[in-house]
Amino acid sequence: MPLRLNIRRKFTSRSDRVKCVDLHPDEPWMLCSLYNGNVHIWNYQTQTLLKTFEVTELPIRSSKFIARKQWIVTGSDDLNIRIFNYNTMEKIKTFEAHSDYLRCVAVHPQLPYILTCSDDMTIKMWDWDRNWDCKMTFEGHSHYVMQVVFNPKDPNTFASASLDRTIKVWGISSAQAHFTLEGHDKGVNCIDYFTGGDKPYLISGADDKSVKVWDYQARTCVQTLSDHSHNVSCVAFHPDLPIIISGAEDGAVRIFHANTYNLENTLNYSMERIWAIACRKGSNRVALGYDEGSTMIKMGKEQPVASMDPSGKIIWARHTEIQMVNVKSAAGEAVTDGERLPLAVKELGNCEVYPQALKHDPKGRVAVVCGDGEYIIYTALAWRNKSFGTAMEVVWSPSGDYATRDAPARIKLFRDFKERQTLSLGYTADAIFGGAMLGVRSGQDFVFFYDWETGSPVRRIDVATKHVFWNESGALCCVSSDSAFFVLKCDKDAITKYLEQGLNEEDGCEAAFEPVYEVSERVSTGRWLGDCFVYVNSNDRLNYCVGGEVQTLHHLDRRMYLLGYMARENRLYLIDKEFHVVSYELLLSILEYKTCIVRRDLAGAAALLPSIPAEHLNKVARFLEAQGFREEALSIATDPDYKFELAVQLQKLELAYNIVKDAESDHKWRQLGDLAMAGGQLPLATDCLQRAKDFAALLLIYSSQGNVESMRQLAKESADAGRTNVAFVANMLLCNTAECLQLLCDTGRVAEAAFFARTYAPGQVSRIVNLWRAELAKINPKAAESLADPGQYANLFPSFDLGLVAEWDAAKVYQAHRPATDYPKMAGALQTDLIEAARSSGRQPPSPAEVAPAAEEASRREADEEAAA
């Protein structure tokens, strides 16, 4: 039975001849070494060229990623090794490594070593921690050394292929080869180690057009593959799939089964000769390098071979190794949605076939493994062989019966591991599906459902079916295609009546299924939870669907596959291709409540609400908000922050005020104050802004209201809080020039205080100038001496006396504070020229004896007003 590998070309880049390709272990990057001396790094997911290194003018025959150092290392025909940082593109090192062309570079998986081989018939090992010192030279080949490869199972050994027709195995601590493998009739071009399982195998390709598989422990040739018609230029064991990939100079890529050595497939993309193959562990992508460029192919599915039973035990297959984990072991720990579960892995044993499908029976007692055209049923706990046979697929019925597809037009039904019936279809079947009825698919044409008990055909549905999902009761069936899925209601009474009458219509019982709804989404994996269909779509969203209404539960950050659901834990379990298991909380009560909301059944939702745990009410409230039910969301929300947001959105400012009183927050007080001010609720806005200490907003309100007492209080509090700018403006509006001057002096701005006094308080100029002079003398004495005091140099300050008169007259006017409503009457006074008014009055400047009592009286009046306030 051939492997069912769906091979698709995902990316192609046309370029000069590609002599080597490599894949980054973590990033979606492909490294291409070109014959024209350049190195390209491609992102094969976005299909964009990330970096180009113009290394030399001669061919580069090998380049590799050193991911742990963020380097690439190149070997070229100019005999040099070059190392670059692939992030900064900086050249780290260049040195001459050999006396002839470099053929290959290999990087040690743990130690700071690289191996290089050359046409000078030597292999050299270099240590980058010792400034690329040549740690050892390996000699023994009598012709060009074409490739070296470290043994992934024992990195202290490596193998080399040479045109002297031999393969030699070496150790990194000895310059002499451990042993030599001989068997090729012509030069050996390429080698690779087997990475999966426990087979000590090595593969080689040569100019004798053959591929040989070697057992390097027994030092014998296990198998010779002679399917190529030209020189074999590259070979690879796939690290995950049981396949051998080889390429020849006629451009043909042949894929062999690693266990049976049968030829599975031949690829030819018409890009002339192929020179390089690269695989990456944990991925089913393979990079190929040709004369005319490079390409990336994807082989098979990335979906892990895994199954979960009803009790939470998960069995999966890594290659032929079977392992088990139990999700209940993580139940006692704090589980976060989407985070990997710390599960202890238990080894169950090995499987005799390479698993391509694994599925528990409905009760979880046994599990069936399919692969290589065979199936084996094992006990789920002890992993003992229960039954086996030939089949391409095996599916289960709800009662534990199973069906096998062992031929294109033949289905066998089993009960208690014994065959009880054979269905001769009369058409070609390429897939079968388990569930309440046995589904048989015929290509892209239709799916036919059969009764498990009698084997009679029930109903044909003409749709290009990808998968079939049944709920536990057998009342609902989901048929998915490549572009949509269809939910059908199964009429069991109509089916029973049809079977009892022994009818045999061409399309079966017409009343068997009734279409319920159709959703235009592609289902990756899915399962039923009651009447709700939960699935992962092609855009990596975890959705559920009820009544045709689709709701997104989570946006997944990578491709995940549904395993099962544990009702007791209320968690849904998923797995990724790396066998990392994650879970997401999904309460059935919440699911039913959301279903009622989507259907606008508010009465039903209200009846279900008491069954939802209090800790989940906030999530339900957010769902209600998303559905447009903000009032209902506010009524059930428990988080104060969220309730505040909802109250603000609904303009329920009094409720928001009470909420934020219980959970003080300057930000919320400010937000609420701004909303209240915008709504004209000034008392509420003032209260909120006072609590938020938003002095700037309070300045706006008090100045608009002409509220003298509050403005004085604001001036004092803002000054105490260090908000000097607000305090200065408040005092300025209060005409309290003395406080303004004091604020400027206290903040070290004496020079500005002098200019302020010259304009608004001429009587204070002499005092401030003396302060300024004293401060400036500490820095520049000469500059300090040049400062002029109006009291000493009156000739330098024309009309200074008039300024004193204006200050005196204005102070009397400012003592009478007026409300803001007097602005229309007083607006003209703002245009008065105070100096001209003082000149016309003919008054003399006040004497110090007059100023002091007036100032004292003003200070006393302000103090009394503050005390009264």
Side-chain angles (χ1 to χ4, degrees), residues 113 146 153 185 231 303 318 327 345 367 403 419 476 515 582 673 802 837:
Y113 300 156
M146 302 299 288
K153 296 176 181 175
D185 297 331
N231 298 347
Q303 182 172 349
R318 288 181 179 267
V327 298
V345 178
E419 181 181 345
L476 293 174
V582 301
L802 296 175

Side-chain angles (χ1 to χ4, degrees), residues 393-683:
E393 283 183 286
V394 177
V395 295
W396 297 98
S397 77
S399 64
D401 292 358
Y402 61 93
T404 66
R405 179 175 67 91
D406 61 349
R410 187 174 61 203
I411 306 295
K412 293 182 179 180
L413 303 181
F414 291 79
R415 177 173 293 168
D416 296 331
F417 310 107
K418 296 178 182 179
E419 181 181 345
R420 65 180 181 85
Q421 190 174 357
T422 300
L423 304 181
S424 296
L425 303 177
Y427 56 86
T428 301
D430 65 345
I432 56 176
F433 308 103
M437 283 192 283
L438 172 63
V440 181
R441 184 183 71 190
S442 179
Q444 298 296 311
D445 298 329
F446 61 86
V447 59
F448 218 129
F449 289 99
Y450 291 80
D451 179 58
W452 278 102
E453 188 65 31
T454 64
S456 302
V458 175
R459 182 61 177 165
R460 167 176 164 157
I461 298 176
D462 293 322
V463 64
T465 305
K466 183 184 176 185
H467 213 290
V468 175
F469 306 93
W470 287 87
N471 72 344
E472 290 186 7
S473 66
L476 293 174
C477 172
C478 173
V479 179
S480 69
S481 68
D482 282 332
S483 58
F485 66 88
F486 311 88
V487 172
L488 311 174
K489 185 177 181 180
C490 179
D491 190 337
K492 296 182 181 179
D493 294 337
I495 294 172
T496 302
K497 184 177 180 181
Y498 174 83
L499 295 175
E500 288 176 351
Q501 291 176 353
L503 300 177
N504 189 16
E505 299 177 5
E506 182 179 355
D507 291 337
C509 177
E510 186 175 351
F513 293 104
E514 177 186 350
V516 181
Y517 55 84
E518 173 187 349
V519 176
S520 297
E521 279 199 337
R522 181 177 179 179
V523 176
S524 172
T525 52
R527 63 171 290 120
W528 287 91
L529 298 178
D531 291 348
C532 173
F533 184 59
V534 183
Y535 64 96
V536 177
N537 69 7
S538 57
N539 295 322
D540 298 328
R541 292 182 182 179
L542 181 58
N543 294 344
Y544 73 87
C545 181
V546 177
E549 295 288 340
V550 176
Q551 296 295 316
T552 298
L553 295 174
H554 295 279
H555 293 265
L556 306 176
D557 57 359
R558 60 191 184 279
R559 180 57 55 88
M560 305 291 292
Y561 307 92
L562 276 173
L563 283 173
Y565 179 77
M566 297 291 292
R568 182 173 297 178
E569 285 76 18
N570 286 309
R571 300 197 74 84
L572 196 65
Y573 294 90
L574 299 92
I575 191 171
D576 65 11
K577 65 179 182 180
E578 303 292 339
F579 296 92
H580 297 161
V581 178
V582 301
S583 70
Y584 291 94
E585 188 174 48
L586 183 60
L587 295 174
L588 282 177
S589 57
I590 292 178
L591 201 59
E592 292 170 354
Y593 179 86
K594 290 181 178 180
T595 301
C596 290
I597 293 297
V598 169
R599 293 173 173 173
R600 299 302 189 260
D601 180 10
L602 300 184
L608 286 168
L609 188 60
S611 65
I612 298 177
E615 62 268 21
H616 296 282
L617 290 177
N618 280 321
K619 291 183 179 179
V620 175
R622 292 190 182 276
F623 171 78
L624 287 168
E625 181 192 5
Q627 294 294 312
F629 296 100
R630 290 180 181 171
E631 292 278 359
E632 289 77 5
L634 179 60
S635 66
I636 68 170
T638 58
D639 179 27
D641 293 339
Y642 183 49
K643 289 185 71 174
F644 176 78
E645 291 176 13
L646 290 171
V648 166
Q649 291 176 22
L650 293 168
Q651 293 295 310
K652 296 188 175 184
L653 302 187
E654 293 295 337
L655 177 59
Y657 179 86
N658 294 327
I659 293 171
V660 77
K661 272 181 67 177
D662 297 331
E664 296 279 347
S665 167
D666 288 350
H667 170 72
K668 291 177 183 174
W669 282 125
R670 190 176 295 112
Q671 181 183 358
L672 186 56
D674 291 343
L675 288 169
M677 187 160 53
Q681 301 182 40
L682 293 184

Side-chain angles (χ1 to χ4, degrees), residues 128-148:
W128 67 67
D129 279 354
R130 296 175 179 258
N131 196 26
W132 297 95
D133 176 51
C134 182
K135 192 170 179 66
M136 191 171 294
T137 300
F138 305 89
E139 297 179 336
H141 283 294
S142 57
H143 209 310
Y144 301 164
V145 185
M146 302 299 288
Q147 189 175 3
V148 286

Side-chain angles (χ1 to χ4, degrees), residues 11-28:
F11 165 69
T12 297
S13 165
R14 294 284 178 175
S15 67
D16 198 60
R17 182 185 305 168
V18 178
K19 294 298 294 182
C20 180
V21 290
D22 191 29
L23 296 176
H24 195 283
D26 303 313
E27 302 291 343

Side-chain angles (χ1 to χ4, degrees), residues 720-847:
D720 293 342
R723 296 293 301 277
T724 313
N725 55 342
V726 176
F728 183 89
V729 174
N731 281 300
M732 190 69 183
L733 292 172
L734 291 168
C735 302
N736 193 348
T737 55
E739 280 297 325
C740 291
L741 284 170
Q742 191 60 44
L743 286 169
L744 290 171
C745 292
D746 290 345
T747 54
R749 305 169 81 167
V750 184
E752 291 166 273
F755 285 97
F756 180 86
R758 176 70 179 88
T759 305
Y760 295 102
Q764 300 290 329
V765 171
S766 296
R767 182 175 68 86
I768 300 300
V769 167
N770 289 332
L771 292 175
W772 187 9
R773 186 180 290 125
E775 289 291 330
L776 189 57
K778 299 175 183 178
I779 303 171
N780 192 334
K782 289 186 178 181
E785 292 174 1
S786 66
L787 294 177
D789 183 350
Q792 299 174 359
Y793 301 94
N795 60 315
L796 298 179
F797 297 89
S799 303
F800 185 77
D801 289 347
L802 296 175
L804 293 173
V805 174
E807 179 188 9
W808 174 255
D809 292 341
K812 294 179 180 179
V813 176
Y814 294 153
Q815 288 172 6
H817 295 289
R818 292 179 173 82
T821 53
D822 284 358
Y823 174 78
K825 304 175 186 177
M826 303 298 297
L830 296 176
Q831 308 300 324
T832 304
D833 188 334
L834 298 181
I835 298 297
E836 288 299 324
R839 183 180 284 115
S840 350
S841 69
R843 292 188 57 207
Q844 294 298 316
S847 65

